[in-house]
């Protein structure tokens, strides 16, 4: 929804008061750091295994071919690789039919790979047969519960790296390197399902760049691209490794935040706004500056039956619109 043409959606308001929570930038940064410690990732990384030793020329690779996150690839670890829907699983399957620790792949010193069921509820299957332990060969496919199919392959290092890069290219916005909209839609649905099953916290921050059309009209679209890249790079350095940052479309971006209270999500949203306001982007010796308007919403605000992707996105979008109409360059979470 471009800034210059953004119109109020004809949807019912959520039953919350119109309070704009905007702590100062310095206090927001301090409180976020003190109350919500995190591991931050400065760049998008590819989830590959450890480097090959001199004695290794191949690596085992898993590809999700059916179920949530189709196309995602994982390198099999030395020792064991656990598959399941629990947070501790090395290969996390966002599917209710998978147990928390459903199955594991064990690599032997002789270069063999064995698939073992970990007393799962719905079973692990190879060639249509439920197994407790089976040796895998390159090209095999196996079922993890009723919905997820995984392909197993043994590749050389170059082919493994290419498989990871192809997957990353399919889920990233080519300009900003944030995740793309398709990936966001899939992750939002799976994250909400997980949060509802485990009574977890999940919030969505939606922001866009104020008067972005003026940048394009005044300095050209290449300047606008530099601004988008600069803001995306800034936010990418601010989020935690477990958060999801995506370009929703045009100059709109989304951050999915897990495990944080609504008030602390507001502090983080304010930190994004304040950091973007201070950012100066050099383009052809011209310093460019932009501001952002931010809306955010949390699952904890809604009854369980209303905790859907549509509800969360609609609430954040309504609040972003309110931030725009109240003067821009502000955060709205109520």
């Amino acid at each position: 929804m471009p800034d210059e043409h953004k119109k109020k959606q004809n949807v019912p308001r959520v039953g919350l008061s119109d309070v704009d929570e905007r702590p100062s930038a310095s206090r927001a940064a301090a409180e976020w750091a003190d109350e919500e410690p995190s591991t931050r990732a400065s760049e998008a990384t590819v989830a590959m295994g450890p480097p090959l030793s001199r004695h290794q020329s191949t690596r085992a690779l898993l590809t999700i071919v059916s179920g949530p996150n189709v196309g995602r690839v994982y390198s099999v670890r030395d020792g064991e690789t656990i598959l399941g829907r629990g947070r501790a699983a090395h290969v996390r399957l966002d599917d209710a039919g998978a147990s928390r620790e459903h199955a594991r792949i064990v690599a032997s010193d002789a270069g063999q790979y064995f698939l073992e069921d970990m007393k799962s509820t719905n079973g692990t299957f190879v060639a249509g047969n439920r197994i407790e332990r089976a040796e895998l060969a390159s090209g095999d496919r196996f079922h993890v519960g009723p919905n997820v199919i995984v392909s197993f392959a043994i590749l050389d290092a170059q082919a493994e790296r290419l498989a990871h890069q192809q997957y990353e290219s399919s889920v990233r916005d080519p300009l900003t390197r944030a995740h793309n909209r398709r990936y966001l839609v899939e992750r939002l649905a799976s994250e909400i399902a997980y949060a509802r099953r485990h009574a977890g916290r999940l919030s969505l921050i939606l922001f866009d760049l104020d008067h972005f059309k003026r940048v394009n009209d005044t300095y050209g679209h290449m300047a606008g691209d530099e601004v988008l890249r600069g803001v995306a790079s800034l936010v990418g350095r601010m989020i935690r490794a477990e958060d999801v940052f995506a370009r929703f479309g045009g100059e709109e971006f989304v951050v999915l935040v897990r495990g944080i209270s609504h008030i602390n999500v507001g502090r983080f949203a304010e930190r994004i706004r304040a950091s973007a306001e201070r950012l100066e982007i050099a383009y052809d010796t011209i310093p460019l500056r932009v501001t952002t308007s931010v809306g955010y919403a949390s699952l904890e605000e809604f009854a369980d039956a209303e905790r859907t992707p549509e509800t969360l996105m609609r609430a954040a979008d309504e609040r972003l619109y309110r931030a725009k109409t109240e003067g821009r360059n502000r955060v709205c979470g109520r």
Side-chain angles (χ1 to χ4, degrees):
M1 284 166 280
D3 176 52
E4 299 297 324
H5 304 288
K6 196 173 184 79
K7 296 183 179 180
K8 181 179 177 64
Q9 297 185 36
N10 185 24
V11 292
R13 295 288 188 190
V14 291
L16 299 170
S17 59
D18 298 338
V19 178
D20 188 6
E21 298 177 355
R22 295 183 60 204
S24 68
S26 60
R27 182 164 66 88
E31 288 177 336
W32 177 260
D34 291 343
E35 297 183 23
E36 307 293 348
S38 62
T39 54
R40 302 192 184 278
S42 60
E43 299 290 342
T45 56
V46 177
M48 296 181 66
L52 296 174
S53 71
R54 288 182 302 169
H55 305 292
Q56 290 177 296
S57 59
T58 60
R59 170 94 69 196
L61 196 74
L62 302 176
T63 304
I64 309 299
V65 297
S66 177
N69 298 325
V70 170
R72 185 158 189 177
V73 293
Y74 299 86
S75 294
V76 174
R77 301 160 60 94
D78 294 333
E80 71 171 14
T81 302
I82 297 175
L83 299 85
R85 61 179 171 84
R87 296 288 188 189
H90 304 122
V91 178
R92 186 176 161 221
L93 306 172
D94 298 314
D95 181 73
S99 298
R100 288 182 176 85
E101 292 188 351
H102 193 105
R104 67 176 184 171
I105 295 175
V106 179
S108 73
D109 293 337
Q112 297 168 294
Y113 294 91
F114 296 92
L115 175 64
E116 299 178 353
D117 186 76
M118 300 178 71
K119 298 181 179 179
S120 66
T121 300
N122 293 316
T124 304
F125 300 81
V126 178
N129 299 313
R130 185 164 184 165
I131 59 98
E132 292 186 2
R133 188 172 192 262
E135 184 175 358
L136 292 173
S138 186
D140 281 348
R141 292 188 175 192
F142 59 90
H143 284 70
V144 181
N147 304 316
V148 178
I149 301 175
V150 182
S151 174
F152 174 83
I154 297 177
L155 306 172
D156 61 32
Q158 184 177 2
E160 180 206 21
R161 187 176 299 108
L162 179 61
H164 282 285
Q165 291 172 347
Q166 287 176 333
Y167 172 74
E168 283 293 301
S169 296
S170 74
V171 298
R172 297 280 179 184
D173 172 57
L175 176 65
T176 64
R177 301 307 298 163
H179 284 107
N180 58 30
R181 181 171 181 150
R182 181 178 68 84
Y183 179 85
L184 171 69
V185 170
E186 293 177 355
R187 278 294 298 271
L188 178 58
S190 64
E191 291 291 341
I192 287 180
Y194 187 93
R196 292 182 68 176
R197 285 198 303 269
H198 299 281
R201 285 173 165 166
L202 182 70
S203 300
L204 187 148
I205 299 171
L206 175 66
F207 69 91
D208 79 1
L209 309 187
D210 297 327
H211 300 300
F212 180 70
K213 187 175 182 295
R214 293 182 186 175
V215 176
N216 284 332
D217 290 346
T218 303
Y219 302 104
H221 287 276
M222 292 184 67
D225 288 349
E226 282 300 313
V227 170
L228 291 171
R229 277 193 288 261
V231 173
S233 177
L234 171 73
V235 177
R237 294 192 298 270
M238 295 172 64
I239 65 172
R240 304 168 303 164
E242 61 265 36
D243 297 331
V244 177
F245 175 49
R247 185 181 180 189
F248 192 63
E251 66 271 26
E252 283 192 324
F253 295 88
V254 168
V255 183
L256 291 183
V257 185
R258 295 188 298 197
I260 309 299
S261 66
H262 187 71
I263 189 171
N264 280 339
V265 172
R267 291 166 179 156
F268 183 36
E270 169 60 22
R271 185 174 169 220
I272 290 174
R273 184 209 64 79
S275 297
E277 184 179 27
R278 293 192 298 268
L279 180 66
E280 185 175 285
I281 301 160
Y283 174 72
D284 194 23
T285 73
I286 303 170
L288 301 176
R289 307 180 73 99
V290 293
T291 60
T292 59
S293 295
V294 188
Y296 67 95
S298 302
L299 283 186
E300 64 190 66
E301 301 177 77
F302 306 100
D304 185 69
E306 297 176 323
R307 294 179 179 181
T308 65
E310 294 77 16
T311 297
L312 198 61
M313 180 61 76
R314 181 184 65 186
D317 188 62
E318 285 183 340
R319 294 165 189 184
L320 170 59
Y321 177 81
R322 187 176 301 141
K324 292 284 189 185
T325 58
E326 291 179 359
R328 296 182 172 83
N329 191 24
R330 65 189 63 220
V331 174
C332 185
R334 297 289 184 189

